[in-house]
Amino acid sequence: VIPGTSLLLLFVYMFILGFGSGCLNSILVVAVQNNVDKDMGMAMSGISIFRSMGTTVSTAFMVVIINLVMAPGLGSILPPDIAAKYPLDSGILDFINSAELAPFADQIRELYASGIGMGYLICGVLVLLVLILVLYLRDDKKGPSE
């Protein structure tokens, strides 16, 4: 997604992301429930804690990627005297409306958007790797007749 993308296209992207996440989450819950004989509560709380941890870690991961994209870009577009006054990461967005940064505001926003795009690209590759691993899951639970 780049600056200027229509709201309709953003809605479509977010719908696909949300629909896919919702389907995946319910499938994972059912898979865990089908493979736990006892301690169902512990298994379900395990899902919850790992989902929370994953959200926290992935948010931090995205911030790191955004900042890794923004730092060199900001260093190259901002004059050294201005760059010395502001954080050369996503924290610069807090100051984007200042008089000194106003001439560079569009470029800063584009850097931020490209950082987000890079983050989603990397996360998309990771999701594809996980999808490949999920294809190798087996159902080892023995039925009552076995």
Side-chain angles (χ1 to χ4, degrees):
V1 179
I2 58 172
T5 301
S6 73
L7 288 177
L8 179 62
L9 188 57
L10 285 174
F11 173 78
V12 169
Y13 288 155
M14 290 191 309
F15 177 81
I16 292 170
L17 181 68
F19 186 78
S21 295
C23 291
L24 178 65
N25 286 334
S26 60
I27 289 171
L28 292 176
V29 168
V30 170
V32 169
Q33 288 174 341
N34 285 336
N35 286 295
V36 174
D37 292 327
K38 53 185 174 178
D39 296 327
M40 182 72 70
M42 288 181 65
M44 299 313 295
S45 65
I47 288 174
S48 179
I49 190 73
F50 282 113
R51 187 177 295 156
S52 296
M53 287 172 47
T55 301
T56 302
V57 170
S58 62
T59 301
F61 181 73
M62 284 290 286
V63 170
V64 168
I65 292 171
I66 291 168
N67 287 336
L68 287 174
V69 169
M70 287 189 74
L74 289 170
S76 67
I77 64 171
L78 295 177
D81 59 321
I82 294 176
K85 296 178 184 177
Y86 298 99
L88 295 181
D89 57 19
S90 58
I92 199 167
L93 296 172
D94 293 335
F95 308 100
I96 200 164
N97 293 325
S98 70
E100 285 183 316
L101 294 178
F104 308 102
D106 289 338
Q107 291 172 306
I108 293 170
R109 286 187 190 99
E110 286 178 20
L111 275 173
Y112 185 66
S114 65
I116 292 172
M118 179 62 68
Y120 274 109
L121 180 66
I122 292 171
C123 289
V125 170
L126 292 174
V127 167
L128 287 176
L129 292 174
V130 169
L131 178 62
I132 291 168
L133 291 174
V134 166
L135 294 175
Y136 291 99
L137 284 178
R138 297 179 311 178
D139 186 8
D140 288 337
K141 188 172 180 183
K142 304 290 185 205
S145 63
E146 296 179 33

